[in-house]
Every structure is written in C-alpha cells, then in structure tokens.
Amino acid sequence: MSDTLTLDVIGRRVEVNGEHATVRFAGVVPPVAGPWLGVEWDNPERGKHDGSHEGTVYFKCRHPTGGSFIRPKKVNFGIDFLTAVKNRYVLEDELEEDGKEQIVTIGNKPVETIGFDSIMKQQSQLSKLQEVSLRNCAVSCAGEKGGVAEACPNIRNVDLSKNLLSSWDEVIHIADQLRHLEVLNLSENKLKFPSGSAPLTGTFSALKVLVLNRTGITWAEVLRCAAECPGLEELYLESNEIFISERPTDVLQTIKLLDLSSNQLIDENQLFLIAHLPRLEQLILSDIGISSIHFPDAGIGCKTSMFPSLRYLVVNDNQISQWSFFNELDKLPSLRALSCLRNPLTKDDKDTQTTRQLIIAKIGQLKTLNKCEILPEERWGAELDYRRAFGNEWKKAGGHQDLDKNRLSEEFLMAHPRYQFLCLKYGAPEDGELKRQPLMLKNQLLTLKIKYPHQLDQKVLEKQLPGSMTIQKVKGLLSRLLKVPVSDLLLSYESPEKPGREIELENDLKSLQFYSVENGDCLLVRW
Amino acid sequence: MRECLSIHIGQAGIQIGDACWELYCLEHGIQPDGVVLDSHQNQLENAKTEHTNASFDTFFREIRAGKHVPRALFVDLEPTVIDGIRTGERRSLFHPEQLLSRKEDAASNYARGRYSVGSEVIDLVLERTRKLAKQCGELQGFLIFRSFGGGTGSGFTSLLMERLTGEYSKKTKLEFSVYPAPRVSTAVVEPYNSVLTIHSTTEHADCTFMVDNEAVYDICHHRLGVERPSYASINRLMVQAVSSITAPLRFEGPLNVDLIEFQTNLVPYPRIHFPITTFAPIVSADKAYHERFSVSDITTACFESSNQLVKCDPRLGKYMACCLLYRGDVVPREANAAIAAMKARQSVQFVDWCPTGFKVGFNNRPPTVMPGGDLAKAHQALCMLSNTTAIVEAWARLDHKFDLMYAKRAFLHWYIREGMEEAEFLEAREDLAALERDYEEAGQSF
C-alpha cells in the first residue's frame, strides 16, 4: 500500500505514532520529490497547516493547523479484524513454546505470574470468544471474506472503539460475519455513514446495544444506521453535535435507552421529535445546555401523551434554573426516577434539602430522585411542607378553604400546578397553619377574656397568658385575683368561632395549649 | 469440593449478605428461589461432565435437581433485619434454619453481644454451623461478615470466632468487616465496640478485609451521582468488592483457589492481616460507555486513594504484599505492561523484607452489575488487595476516639453493667497500641 497512491486511499483512516487522522490527499507536492499523503488530524492542533502549501491548496481542513503532509511509509493503514483478534488473544508461535512462565521484574521485585498459560490457551480458542475488546487496535477493515465467520463466529459483544474503520460499509462487512452480535461499540471512529437509503442487509438482526459516542454522526445518519437494527434496545450518541432534524418513523421503535449526553445543539423543541418512541424508558440528556422543557399538549395538572414509557430521565449538568421545569415533568405519565444534579437551581449546597423537597412535591409520581429512593414518609413531609410554604400565596391568589369558592389565578396555577391536588389530599391549609409570627414572647401570649357566669356584676377582664401555662397556674392567678380558694374554682372556655360550645378545663396539670385555647377565646370561671 | 461457609452477623453483616447473595445469584444465573435459569442449566450440565465451571458448589448446595441453597448462616440478636430477609425477595432461597434471630438485641453494646445476650444463642448458632459443615464434602473455611461498631457485630462475633477456633481449628476464617465512619454512624460507642472486638478476634481471624463506610459513601456521592447514599447503595458497591475477592473460589480460575492461598499471599505476620481493598473502574451507570478504561487505566486507578474502600493514604506507608485480581476481558500481556508501568512510580514502595511483591491473577468472567444499580457495567475490572502499613492510620483514628471517651469513662457503665470489667478495656486498648507498633515495625527497614 505504501507506494501506490491510488485514489481509494482518500478518506481512509490512519494512525501515525498514536495519533489518528483521515487521508485527504495523495500525490506529489512540488518542489519536494516523491509521493506524499495529506492528512487531517483528529487533533486539530497536531498539524502544521490547513492543507495548503506555498499558495496551492491541496486539501481542506477545518482547522488552520489541522493538516500535515506525511510520507506514506510512516503511516499505519491498520490491520484487519481477524488479525487484530489474533494479535490480542493468541500468542505468537515464537514465544512461549516451552510453556515456561515469564518472570517479570518490577523495581527489584520479581512478579510471580500464575495462570497466564491456561488463560492464553483459552483465549487461543477463538471460536469460544464471546466478549472481545479491540479498542485502539488499529482495525481498519474486515479482512478476507468469511475469515471472521470461520474463526470467531460466536462473538456477541465487541468493542471496536478508537480504531481506523473509515466507513459504515466496513463495519457491515465485519458484522455480517457475526450473526450473534448483540453489543457493538464503535465510539471514536470517524466513520463515513450511509448517505442515501440503501437496501437493508439484515446484518444487525440480533443487535441490542449500539454505541456511537464521538463519531461525528448526524441524526439522519443515525436513522439510516438504525434501520439496519430492527431489535435495537440501547443507543448511545454522546458528544456528536447532534441536531435532531426529523422524527423517526419505523426506526428506533424498539429503543429502551437513548443517551444524548453532551450534544450541545439539542434544544427542547427537538425533543418533540423523539417524543413518540413507544418503548423509550431511559433518556439521558446530561450536559446538553437545556434550561426548559414544555409539553404543550397537556394543560395544567394533566398528563402529556409524549414520552409515554419514559421512566428515568437524566438531566445532570444542564442550565435548569426555573421551577417550571419540574412542573412540566409532572406531566410525564410514567416518570419514576430523575437525576438533576449540578444545575444552577440545584447547585446551592446549603439548600439541597429544600430543593430536594420541592422537587419531590412538584412531581407526584417520582419514586427515586438523584438515585435516592423517596420513601413514603419523605414524600409526605415534602408535600405537607410545600402546602404550608405556599399557603399564603395560595390565599392571595384566591384560594379558599371551601373548595367550591376557589378561584385561583392563572399565575398561581401555572407556578403550582399540583397545589389543588395537595389540598384535596391533605385538606386546604388552615389560617392557623399559615400564620408565621416571629418567636417573641409576646407573640406566644394568648389574649383571653375572663368572664364569670355566676357573678354577672363582675367586670369582664382581659388577660394575656402564655399558652404553655398550666390550668393549675391559671387557677392560682385567678384565686389571687378573686380571693377565692383554688380548689373551689372551675374553669372552662368558649371560642367565639363556635358559640355555645363550652369546653371544660378539668386537668390541672395540662396547659392551655393542650386544650387548644386560642387567641380571643373566653375563659369562664365558676366557683 | 472445597466449600466455604458464609456467616452474616448483625445488621451490617446481614444486609451486606443479602446484597451479596443477590449478586452471586445474578452471576451464576440462579433465580431468587434457588432454581438455576435454563440457559445456565445447560452450562451446568456440560460443566459436570467437564469438571470445570461447577465451582459454584463451593458456595451453593444443590438439594435437588436445579435447586440450590446458599451455604450461609444469618445471625442477629433481634428480629427486624432478618425478618427483612424472611419476607424479602430471596425468602425462598434460604432454608428457615439458616436465618437465626432472637428477640432482645445487643443495643450497640459489645458486652451484651458477647456475654449476656450473645451467650444464650451461641450454642444454637454452633449447632447450625455444625449442620452446615456436615453438608460439606471438605469444608475450606468460613467467611464472616460483620461490622466493628455494632453490638452484635462486635460482641457476638468475638464469641463466635473463639468457639469456631475451638471446634474447627484447621479451617481458615476470613472476615469482611465494616469499619465505623462518622458520617454514616449509628452509635456513639462504636469506638469502644471496635477496639474490644478487634482485640478479641485478631488471634482467631486469618485475614480481615476492611471496608470503611465513609470511603464508600464518598465514592457513591461523588462518583456515582447518588445524592445521599443509603445503606443500600453502599452495600451494592461493597459487594462488588466481595464478589471479586470470592470470584476465584466460585469460578474456575488459576489464582487463589484455596482460602489458604489468600493468607499465604497477603499475610506476612499473623497479626498483620488487614489488607485494604481497592476497586476499579468506578463509573456511574448514567455515564456508561462515555469513557473507556484500558487495563493500564484501571491498574493505575487502583493505586489511587479515591478508589479505596478504606480511607487511608498508601503513599504514607509501604506495601507488604499486593494481590491484583483482574476480571473480564484482560489479556495477560496488557496486565504485565500495566504493572511494569506502575514500577516506575515513586509512590509504590515496598518493604525491604517482603520478596513476593505483586501477585496477579485472572478471571475471565466480567463483573456483573445489579440491574437498576448505580455502577456501569465494565468489560474489564480490577480488585486489588494490598497489605500496607498505611492502614495504621485507621487504627490511630479509632484509638484516638476510644481514648477521648475512655478518659472520662463515658458510657462505660453500660458495659460494666453487663458483667465486663474495666481491665478488659485497658487490655484491648493495649492490644491495639501494640498492633500499631507492629505495623510501624513492619514498615521499617533493616
């Protein structure tokens, strides 16, 4: 390969001293004699120029220092799949013929190696290989036809990440020979994906997991590749600068997990296009820069028809700063688990407890938040706190104890869509709960009227007594006031809210608070 | 047939045990009721004729075709935790006689666990142990799971270990102990319980793998994205380490087939038997496939303190022995290269007098993760057991807390009341001080 510069070299993926690149040019670069390859490095700063030399443009690079000219001899075009498998799993014949254990020395210490032999024998039985890892092994092609199928047909799980595969077709050539392939990892390969709709090959009929992180794939290409995988369950597309451009019809319908992390071009509107995947249970949207979400087909308090099966949503490392985000998530019918760490709203370390409680209260069907189970007691506490915390706002917005008289403002309903439901569940918040007075002594005093039903000529007194005062002490105070012995006094009280009802204060050791004596009530003293 | 009996004591031991057997069942294709899944049944059939992978007989007993029962015993002095197992997912996995509980617990008190309440139940436990041992063709030894800080875990275990040594003197006893940590602690008297139990069990245990709740808590919180790790998350991570350590016993593999080999490889002196466990890779399930770790990456990670399951700094100490247990798709050549790279690091210092250095082994089954768990599945994993003098830091912390309380004789009356004497406290503390000195001596050059 090294000396013939045929045009099919263009587009090939190569490796030079550990750095990967794509061949963009093959030919002569005057004035220096001899063949040259023009390559565009994966690492944009590795090169010297952008494909032009002394004024002439030989090839184009995306980056001004992305390209170099290299002698073909220095470039590694890669090996075929089967050779890579053999390299890794079979020991060469020259070594280890006598079967002696190698002694490795580390520092001054010899390292005892046990079992290297039997492991190697086992791996030599390539046909038994089921899980194969060929990461960074410079695999560029499938090799001779049928070679893989003959040697290691039982491979179910292959990691081909960071290799030199240059096109999807090459991948098909490999996968065609692996009828049982269930998991395929092609991350960090800059593949040329199919551009038009080609006839389906039935290659990936058994494939369940496809990993295409950092391959530069576009959404349209994703759909074309997915068309080959009718049973696909998990699809990983991290860091691809994907822009979801169309709605998948007939493809991706079996998908259970979709990882779109670190695709910064995705926004909430694009999510509508994947909202109708019927089996999608897990959606990973970490680090995509999302800050809001909305489901326009559902009104306040209703469930949306989008993402019908979504159980677990991951939105870590995003830009969520509004509570409305979580209000919207409540509309998802199947949502049971959420991870939303490291967002501006949840970043404040001091308040993580409150944030957690608020999220729990806002999303009713959530069972796990940030990988911590929400126990029923926690939910109960969070919802009650929420109900109390926004009780005053609710009142101001038109909330009423008597639910028939409720006329809540649109604004309030938008901000607190679950509030009505919480009122139904726990009862509407009462005024007593909502009052929050500062904890000064005078605020803890009850202003009480004191009446003497048997002595009508006595003036009605008003006294301020702490709620924690025991009946015994109250009697003592009254006894000194009225010059009546304590043992003769009988106390009871009535409340202006419930006229006619008199409640006896018979236990001397209990406090006024115990009997629920409140501000404005009237103590009745008899003797 | 070299069977191993697992004994789970106290709340920690039992909850770890529950997670443990859940993981073992997943790894061996056994359903929660003990029946082997069909696809694995075929493997088992073939294995019987080939005498290979049938090794899980070391941990499970087949009572009739297809139904397997763990070789385990769960003991607690109060019923609530064991009731959790009796009514939980794996209730049909265990025979009712394997789940022992009493009504009155040890109340976080070593003295109750060891003397008053524990002594009432010890005979029953030993009887059940005998029964389980009889079912073994050739019992290798015991795996004891317990915490240092609890009453049952500390007190009852001490009693049990003493009696086990008496009855089964030739059998190995390995411990998996949970070292107390402030952030996930449940009792103020944990230092007392820990010091007392370490003093009484050291001579009976052959090797103790310690796991520190705080280290695991940190890993769960920072690396796995768990906001407030519960015992469930912590235990799930811990049992991955337990699984790696017991993998050579349960799967066909070339390294450490016998429990005795653990001792031989890791324990230079009888008392210096506390290796630290490190595990790699630790990747959150939400970030599966985002980063790929090579064999050299996971080897390097194991020498970093952030992957350790006990909080201490190995750079401040010297290694006396190191076992690297690779799992999954690891080629010996790559492991060699990775280890050779570690040699270049200044931070990996060995003591002068220990010639073995590293011991490396392979098991080609990759680790299994629990579905819905926090860890991502990995192709290759490494569990490192290293006996380092840096662990003296853990003892020092414990001793310091003990001293602070003992100086004021705080909480002491709870122990005295149950029949203990102050002398025992002093003896125990002396023993721990001697242990610290032993470690320091071991780390010194000639």
Side-chain angles (χ1 to χ4, degrees):
Chain A
M1 198 74 229
S2 34
D3 283 320
T4 46
L5 297 177
T6 45
L7 278 172
D8 65 349
V9 154
I10 310 261
R12 290 279 300 260
R13 298 276 298 154
V14 296
E15 180 249 330
V16 182
N17 286 337
E19 297 263 0
H20 290 206
T22 316
V23 177
R24 295 275 184 232
F25 167 81
V28 185
V29 180
V32 188
W36 285 100
L37 286 178
V39 302
E40 182 180 5
W41 299 103
D42 283 3
N43 175 1
E45 278 145 47
R46 171 71 177 75
K48 296 204 175 96
H49 51 75
D50 64 349
S52 46
H53 179 69
E54 286 178 7
T56 327
V57 176
Y58 292 93
F59 62 96
K60 289 235 168 62
C61 284
R62 271 173 292 181
H63 204 269
T65 54
S68 296
F69 288 108
I70 306 192
R71 290 290 184 194
K73 283 201 197 83
K74 293 207 174 148
V75 162
N76 176 10
F77 280 91
I79 51 178
D80 67 279
F81 185 85
L82 190 55
T83 312
V85 170
K86 285 189 181 151
N87 279 351
R88 187 151 192 268
Y89 294 98
V90 179
L91 204 54
E92 315 257 308
D93 292 321
E94 298 96 76
L95 309 160
E96 296 309 301
E97 255 173 16
D98 52 356
K100 253 181 81 178
E101 292 285 7
Q102 292 174 295
I103 307 280
V104 182
T105 314
I106 287 158
N108 307 330
K109 310 220 172 286
V111 174
E112 244 179 271
T113 60
I114 301 279
F116 279 24
D117 262 351
S118 67
I119 287 280
M120 289 196 249
K121 259 184 233 142
Q122 199 180 60
Q123 284 168 339
S124 300
Q125 297 172 46
L126 295 177
S127 52
K128 290 203 184 146
L129 280 180
Q130 290 197 342
E131 271 196 42
V132 161
S133 177
L134 294 174
R135 180 179 164 80
N136 208 6
C137 291
V139 175
S140 59
C141 57
E144 57 173 78
K145 229 176 162 177
V148 174
E150 202 192 304
C152 43
N154 292 313
I155 292 179
R156 281 171 200 271
N157 184 330
V158 63
D159 179 2
L160 277 169
S161 58
K162 209 167 177 196
N163 279 299
L164 299 177
L165 295 160
S166 48
S167 73
W168 183 250
D169 292 330
E170 220 35 74
V171 175
I172 295 215
H173 290 152
I174 299 174
D176 247 342
Q177 306 180 52
L178 300 173
R179 288 276 126 208
H180 302 284
L181 193 63
E182 287 178 0
V183 179
L184 177 59
N185 187 344
L186 292 167
S187 304
E188 295 177 81
N189 282 299
K190 290 222 184 317
L191 299 173
K192 204 161 61 181
F193 288 100
S195 50
S197 44
L200 295 180
T201 56
T203 312
F204 296 105
S205 44
L207 197 69
K208 293 211 166 66
V209 177
L210 182 58
V211 185
L212 292 167
N213 300 338
R214 286 180 233 180
T215 51
I217 194 171
T218 66
W219 186 248
E221 288 164 352
V222 169
L223 297 186
R224 274 180 234 125
C225 294
E228 304 266 1
C229 319
L232 197 63
E233 289 180 2
E234 293 178 20
L235 180 58
Y236 296 85
L237 297 168
E238 180 235 349
S239 293
N240 281 314
E241 301 203 344
I242 284 188
F243 184 96
I244 303 176
S245 50
E246 55 185 285
R247 187 174 151 156
T249 46
D250 301 332
V251 288
L252 295 181
Q253 300 300 309
T254 48
I255 280 268
K256 286 194 186 151
L257 183 152
L258 182 59
D259 182 357
L260 289 168
S261 307
S262 304
N263 285 297
Q264 301 276 335
L265 297 176
I266 294 186
D267 66 26
E268 53 174 299
N269 292 317
Q270 292 172 39
L271 293 179
F272 296 151
L273 296 168
I274 49 169
H276 297 280
L277 294 169
R279 304 245 180 98
L280 187 64
E281 289 177 13
Q282 219 176 313
L283 183 58
I284 305 180
L285 297 175
S286 303
D287 187 34
I288 61 171
I290 197 170
S291 55
S292 63
I293 201 168
H294 62 283
F295 301 112
D297 65 328
I300 296 170
C302 302
K303 298 291 177 203
T304 175
S305 61
M306 302 198 205
F307 296 107
S309 309
L310 188 63
R311 291 182 64 88
Y312 180 32
L313 178 64
V314 181
V315 284
N316 297 331
D317 301 295
N318 278 306
Q319 300 298 322
I320 301 169
S321 55
Q322 305 286 348
W323 288 109
S324 51
F325 191 94
F326 301 102
N327 289 339
E328 288 294 306
L329 289 184
D330 187 44
K331 294 181 182 169
L332 290 168
S334 307
L335 191 67
R336 297 286 173 270
L338 175 68
S339 277
C340 53
L341 300 165
R342 297 180 292 273
N343 279 291
L345 194 61
T346 58
K347 247 183 207 158
D348 189 358
D349 282 320
K350 275 171 264 178
D351 258 334
T352 40
Q353 260 301 92
T354 323
T355 314
R356 185 181 166 86
Q357 299 249 314
L358 284 170
I359 297 175
I360 292 174
K362 283 189 177 282
I363 308 178
Q365 65 274 40
L366 208 59
K367 294 263 182 302
T368 309
L369 177 58
N370 293 332
K371 298 202 183 269
C372 293
E373 203 190 328
I374 302 172
L375 296 168
E377 303 92 70
E378 193 180 3
R379 171 161 288 284
W380 191 78
E383 289 181 343
L384 277 177
D385 277 347
Y386 185 88
R387 174 179 153 278
R388 185 164 23 126
F390 294 100
N392 282 322
E393 245 183 79
W394 169 78
K395 278 189 80 179
K396 272 187 223 140
H400 208 275
Q401 283 275 337
D402 187 349
L403 290 171
D404 290 332
K405 296 194 193 148
N406 248 351
R407 293 275 178 274
L408 288 171
S409 68
E410 268 303 303
E411 219 185 307
F412 183 85
L413 285 173
M414 288 257 288
H416 306 279
R418 278 196 89 215
Y419 204 88
Q420 294 281 62
F421 175 78
L422 292 180
C423 287
L424 283 169
K425 188 171 174 186
Y426 299 104
E430 298 186 14
D431 286 341
E433 284 180 81
L434 299 177
K435 256 186 253 183
R436 217 184 306 182
Q437 288 164 336
L439 237 57
M440 292 199 289
L441 183 60
K442 70 173 182 188
N443 292 324
Q444 292 176 319
L445 293 175
L446 305 167
T447 308
L448 302 169
K449 293 198 182 68
I450 306 185
K451 277 198 200 145
Y452 313 100
H454 293 329
Q455 261 80 14
L456 293 169
D457 55 339
Q458 287 267 14
K459 263 197 324 189
V460 176
L461 286 177
E462 228 184 63
K463 277 232 166 271
Q464 283 191 325
L465 300 173
S468 53
M469 195 172 194
T470 56
I471 304 301
Q472 189 161 31
K473 297 231 170 82
V474 176
K475 281 187 180 170
L477 195 151
L478 290 169
S479 149
R480 284 193 291 277
L481 207 65
L482 302 164
K483 312 281 192 283
V484 176
V486 173
S487 46
D488 286 351
L489 289 172
L490 289 167
L491 290 185
S492 55
Y493 83 99
E494 66 176 15
S495 177
E497 287 167 27
K498 299 179 188 132
R501 262 204 75 188
E502 214 181 292
I503 298 167
E504 249 186 82
L505 303 169
E506 77 259 358
N507 192 337
D508 282 351
L509 299 174
K510 301 285 185 196
S511 64
L512 291 170
Q513 231 170 12
F514 176 78
Y515 286 103
S516 306
V517 178
E518 281 170 26
N519 231 349
D521 288 347
C522 187
L523 280 182
L524 301 165
V525 190
R526 295 183 178 88
W527 63 94
Chain B
M1 266 319 111
R2 306 277 291 151
E3 295 92 349
C4 298
L5 263 182
S6 304
I7 305 183
H8 304 274
I9 305 172
Q11 179 182 350
I14 292 169
Q15 286 179 338
I16 293 178
D18 191 28
C20 212
W21 289 101
E22 183 184 357
L23 188 59
Y24 290 168
C25 286
L26 276 173
E27 291 184 345
H28 296 287
I30 298 176
Q31 290 171 305
D33 60 358
V35 179
V36 177
L37 284 171
D38 277 347
S39 57
H40 287 257
Q41 182 69 8
N42 289 332
Q43 274 181 29
L44 192 60
E45 294 293 326
N46 295 332
K48 280 193 173 144
T49 50
E50 284 178 11
H51 290 287
T52 47
N53 293 315
S55 294
F56 72 76
D57 274 9
T58 46
F59 276 67
F60 288 87
R61 183 169 76 95
E62 192 175 4
I63 56 175
R64 58 166 190 279
K67 167 105 170 124
H68 290 74
V69 178
R71 297 184 196 277
L73 199 58
F74 288 73
V75 183
D76 200 2
L77 297 177
E78 59 105 16
T80 41
V81 188
I82 289 202
D83 281 346
I85 303 212
R86 289 191 182 118
T87 55
E89 244 185 83
R90 275 161 290 288
R91 59 184 177 277
S92 351
L93 185 63
F94 302 101
H95 190 279
E97 285 199 345
Q98 294 174 282
L99 307 172
L100 293 169
S101 65
R102 295 273 297 180
K103 299 196 191 71
E104 222 189 326
D105 78 336
S108 299
N109 189 335
Y110 172 93
R112 282 172 68 90
R114 167 112 198 211
Y115 299 110
S116 31
V117 185
S119 60
E120 292 168 23
V121 91
I122 184 70
D123 290 319
L124 179 60
V125 174
L126 286 171
E127 192 201 303
R128 295 284 164 84
T129 315
R130 252 171 253 136
K131 214 167 164 180
L132 284 169
K134 268 203 205 106
Q135 292 163 353
C136 300
E138 202 190 331
L139 179 64
Q140 254 191 86
F142 301 92
L143 299 170
I144 318 277
F145 294 77
R146 52 81 167 248
S147 70
F148 281 155
T152 315
S154 61
F156 187 73
T157 310
S158 303
L159 181 58
L160 181 64
M161 293 285 267
E162 225 177 72
R163 302 285 290 265
L164 284 178
T165 308
E167 242 180 86
Y168 306 91
S169 53
K170 295 252 169 71
K171 312 290 181 191
T172 314
K173 292 192 281 299
L174 296 187
E175 280 190 315
F176 288 90
S177 303
V178 177
Y179 175 92
R183 256 183 288 176
V184 201
S185 97
T186 51
V188 179
V189 292
E190 280 174 344
Y192 280 164
N193 292 337
S194 307
V195 169
L196 289 166
T197 190
I198 293 171
H199 161 60
S200 30
T201 38
T202 301
E203 59 184 288
H204 303 292
D206 297 301
C207 195
T208 304
F209 301 104
M210 292 208 302
V211 186
D212 172 356
N213 270 337
E214 188 163 336
V216 184
Y217 183 101
D218 279 344
I219 292 176
C220 285
H221 182 73
H222 293 124
R223 314 266 291 272
L224 301 180
V226 184
E227 197 173 18
R228 283 172 315 170
S230 60
Y231 280 145
S233 325
I234 293 179
N235 288 345
R236 271 198 295 254
L237 186 56
M238 246 184 240
V239 298
Q240 286 293 340
V242 174
S243 165
S244 292
I245 296 171
T246 55
L249 303 163
R250 292 178 291 118
F251 295 103
E252 200 256 352
L255 177 70
N256 286 358
V257 179
D258 288 339
L259 283 181
I260 292 181
E261 285 210 49
F262 270 118
Q263 298 167 253
T264 324
N265 291 320
L266 283 174
V267 181
Y269 297 98
R271 278 162 67 80
I272 313 286
H273 63 241
F274 299 91
I276 59 175
T277 320
T278 320
F279 194 77
I282 298 181
V283 180
S284 164
D286 293 340
K287 295 204 174 162
Y289 296 113
H290 287 199
E291 261 183 273
R292 298 293 292 151
F293 294 97
S294 62
V295 172
S296 101
D297 290 329
I298 57 179
T299 311
T300 315
C302 272
F303 286 91
E304 262 154 46
S305 51
S306 55
N307 278 51
Q308 274 166 221
L309 300 187
V310 180
K311 275 209 184 290
C312 70
D313 194 350
R315 289 169 304 179
L316 299 177
K318 295 197 183 148
Y319 288 94
M320 290 175 278
C322 218
C323 272
L324 288 137
L325 303 163
Y326 286 97
R327 282 186 91 167
D329 185 35
V330 179
V331 175
R333 207 177 32 235
E334 289 168 357
N336 272 344
I339 297 169
M342 289 312 301
K343 83 174 184 191
R345 296 177 135 219
Q346 301 286 36
S347 48
V348 181
Q349 275 196 42
F350 267 77
V351 289
D352 298 334
W353 48 261
C354 197
T356 314
F358 288 89
K359 187 122 177 159
V360 187
F362 301 89
N363 194 294
N364 57 7
R365 297 288 202 98
T368 313
V369 288
M370 313 235 219
D374 312 318
L375 270 179
K377 196 164 178 356
H379 259 225
Q380 303 127 329
L382 170 62
C383 180
M384 183 171 92
L385 301 168
S386 46
N387 203 341
T388 163
T389 57
I391 197 125
V392 76
E393 203 185 301
W395 302 137
R397 275 202 305 262
L398 206 56
D399 291 339
H400 175 66
K401 290 182 193 158
F402 179 99
D403 291 338
L404 285 176
M405 286 204 295
Y406 190 75
K408 302 280 273 179
R409 302 292 186 275
F411 300 98
L412 216 56
H413 65 285
W414 295 111
Y415 295 80
I416 312 285
R417 197 182 280 201
E418 301 289 339
M420 274 184 72
E421 288 174 7
E422 271 196 44
E424 212 174 318
F425 277 78
L426 290 169
E427 215 183 289
R429 179 64 184 87
E430 258 309 304
D431 197 10
L432 264 271
L435 188 64
E436 279 188 60
R437 284 194 298 271
D438 287 343
Y439 266 94
E440 269 153 39
E441 237 181 82
Q444 277 162 10
S445 335
F446 287 122

